[in-house]
């Protein structure tokens, strides 16, 4: 290749030696295989990118990734059915910042109707375990838990939330219709699903849009009422801000009290420490 | 059984019905077939050559795809859509490189072996090649964005100046200036590796 002017063959040779070449065939296949799914994720944009950023976690040790998956399942349960995080199996919640994972999922789950996560954990002797977590706004949660034979937990047709929890080793909290739930105190925790269910009956009431105040606030109007959900820095759980507070932060005109909500989720089962390295 | 060899996580996400971000649709598929499918190899190689790590390359590709999706209308009407897509990929790769650099100032930018290199004679050569590569990538990461993209497109991807200019949205003369200044800066940063290279100025 003939170059003129500023070209420096020595430098070019150095750059090509250091930055040239192609990936190995397995790597290239892996990268190529990620393109079309990545394109679909890109179209989902914000929630998918949040998930990607949080759940790729390439630097996390394997136990942390597994725990992140379990925390994801927990957050799905929390978000999908308004359940208590304490129902998550203890073993699943160990050795990670579950709060971080829950926060990411809470963000993502508020604006998607379905998520499927498949995790393969490959050992030196081949595939050793697989976990699949599926959540759908319409039908509920299907979890095939890692370790041992995957447990398929149907979500519909009589196998509702109670079944899921019982198979996970937890106990279902009694669920009351949204209109019978107690009126929350200022700053009470709640799941995005409950906000949506209470206000609108749909998940779309809480969209993953940056609020006017920026940061973690997600603000949306539902039935003409301003609502906001902040992610509590200590727990990573969504917290409802009532109208005056919303108005103060978002410069909106206060409206009537906007929501009822679920009981405060417990995060006692989670280890709040970061991932071990 | 030891389970730390590898782990992969795959996601399929479907937005809400009626949500602002619509699910994968026919227009998205058509865009992919028209603009991206023919470029798959170039895209992933452009990213790989800078990032040199499978996981981070996938992340960078994901970021690039998200950017491409947002800029799809511009790409459709761009005089050189391939160059623009390549630039987006390189931007994402450089971001990934800089992020890795920030998070591991004193660590290797590229963990693991370098299987794509010719088989070296021994561990000393492996270490030497890795060190060389890291130094070059470190220098690339320190270039201003347009200079880095221009140099990578010109030297590594072997694009011509019209394509570089189209990708950067500037005149060819400006693209040449970006390449020239990028090279000059790299020469200073890598003076100890380039025969006849200028000595580092210290300010770099």
């Amino acid at each position: 290749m003939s170059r003129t002017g500023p070209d420096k063959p020595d430098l070019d040779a150095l750059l090509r030696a250091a930055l040239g070449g192609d990936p190995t065939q397995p790597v290239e296949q892996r990268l190529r295989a990620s393109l079309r799914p990545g394109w679909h994720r890109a179209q989902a944009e914000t929630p998918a990118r949040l998930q990607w950023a949080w759940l790729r976690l390439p630097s996390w040790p394997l136990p942390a990734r597994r725990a992140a998956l379990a925390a994801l399942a927990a957050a799905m349960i929390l978000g999908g059915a308004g359940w208590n995080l304490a129902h998550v199996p203890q073993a699943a919640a160990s050795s990670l910042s579950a709060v971080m994972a829950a926060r990411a999922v809470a963000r993502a789950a508020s604006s998607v109707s379905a998520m499927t996560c498949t995790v393969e954990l490959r050992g030196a002797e081949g595939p050793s375990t697989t976990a699949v977590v599926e959540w759908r706004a319409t039908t509920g949660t299907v979890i095939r838990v890692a370790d041992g034979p995957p447990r398929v937990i149907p979500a519909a047709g009589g196998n509702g939330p109670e079944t899921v929890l019982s198979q996970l080793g937890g106990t279902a909290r009694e669920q009351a219709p949204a209109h019978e739930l107690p009126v929350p105190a200022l700053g009470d925790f709640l799941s995005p699903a409950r906000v949506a269910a209470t206000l609108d009956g749909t998940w779309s009431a809480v969209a993953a849009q940056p609020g006017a105040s920026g940061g973690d606030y997600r603000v949306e109007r539902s039935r003409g009422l301003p609502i906001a959900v902040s992610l509590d820095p200590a727990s990573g759980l969504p917290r409802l801000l009532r109208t005056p507070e919303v108005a103060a932060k978002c410069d909106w005109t206060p409206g009537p009290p906007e929501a009822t909500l679920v009981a405060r989720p417990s995060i006692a089962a989670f280890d709040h420490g970061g991932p071990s390295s | 059984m030891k389970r730390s060899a590898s782990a992969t996580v795959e996601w399929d996400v479907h937005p809400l019905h009626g949500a602002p971000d619509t699910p994968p649709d026919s227009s998205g598929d058509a865009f992919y077939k028209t603009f991206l499918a023919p470029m798959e190899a170039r895209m992933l190689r452009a990213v790989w050559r800078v990032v040199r790590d499978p996981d981070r390359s996938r992340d960078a590709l994901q970021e690039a795809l998200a950017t491409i999706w947002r800029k799809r209308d511009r790409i459709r009407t761009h005089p050189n859509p391939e160059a623009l897509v390549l630039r987006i990929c390189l931007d994402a790769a450089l971001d990934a490189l800089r992020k890795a650099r920030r998070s591991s100032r004193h660590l290797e930018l590229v963990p693991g072996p370098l299987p794509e290199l010719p088989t070296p004679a021994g561990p000393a050569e492996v270490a030497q090649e890795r060190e060389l590569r890291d130094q070059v990538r470190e220098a690339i990461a320190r270039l201003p964005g347009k200079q880095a993209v221009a140099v990578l497109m010109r030297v590594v991807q072997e694009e011509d100046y019209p394509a570089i200019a189209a990708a950067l949205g500037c005149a060819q003369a400006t693209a040449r200036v970006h390449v020239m200044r990028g090279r000059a800066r790299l020469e200073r940063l890598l003076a100890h590796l380039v025969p006849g290279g200028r000595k580092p100025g210290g300010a770099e």
Side-chain angles (χ1 to χ4, degrees), chain B residues 3 5 8 30 39 60 66-67 96 100-101 123 133 135 149 159 172:
Chain B
R3 276 191 188 153
T8 60
M39 287 195 66
T67 303
R101 180 170 165 257
R133 176 163 292 163
Q135 288 183 47
V149 169
E159 298 289 333
Q172 285 188 44

Side-chain angles (χ1 to χ4, degrees), chain B residues 144-165:
Chain B
K146 284 189 176 179
Q147 289 180 20
V149 169
V151 168
L152 288 170
M153 287 188 76
R154 180 61 177 154
V155 178
V156 181
Q157 301 299 127
E158 301 189 339
E159 298 289 333
D160 56 24
Y161 280 109
I164 299 171

Side-chain angles (χ1 to χ4, degrees), chain B residues 35-77:
Chain B
F35 293 98
L36 303 185
M39 287 195 66
E40 282 184 346
R42 291 176 71 194
M43 290 169 66
L44 66 91
R45 283 173 184 156
V47 169
W48 166 261
R49 286 170 173 173
V50 175
V51 179
R52 299 276 172 177
D53 174 81
D55 284 336
R56 289 198 170 111
S57 292
R58 289 179 72 192
D59 287 345
L61 280 169
Q62 181 65 53
E63 289 297 324
L65 289 167
T67 303
I68 290 167
W69 172 249
R70 286 196 301 273
K71 296 185 175 178
R72 61 193 181 281
D73 289 338
R74 185 179 165 201
I75 292 170
R76 277 196 188 99
T77 58

Side-chain angles (χ1 to χ4, degrees), chain A residues 49-132:
Chain A
R49 292 182 68 204
L50 272 173
Q51 289 176 347
W52 186 258
W54 281 91
L55 293 170
R56 289 288 295 118
L57 300 176
S59 61
W60 281 32
L62 193 56
R65 291 200 204 187
R66 296 177 60 205
L69 171 69
L72 167 64
M76 285 177 174
I77 292 172
L78 171 74
W83 287 343
N84 194 319
L85 278 183
H87 292 147
V88 180
Q90 183 70 37
S94 61
S95 74
L96 92 155
S97 176
V99 167
M100 291 164 59
R103 177 185 298 163
V105 172
R107 283 176 171 169
S110 65
S111 60
V112 297
S113 63
M115 293 189 290
T116 303
C117 176
T118 304
V119 176
E120 283 184 48
L121 307 172
R122 294 184 186 278
E125 300 169 20
S128 57
T129 185
T130 299
V132 178

Side-chain angles (χ1 to χ4, degrees), chain A residues 2 16 22 28 66 68 95-96 104 130 164-165 167 172 214 224 227 270:
Chain A
S2 65
R16 289 198 191 99
D22 294 327
E28 179 165 343
R66 296 177 60 205
S95 74
L96 92 155
T130 299
V164 176
L165 275 188
Q167 293 202 28
I227 62 170
F270 283 151

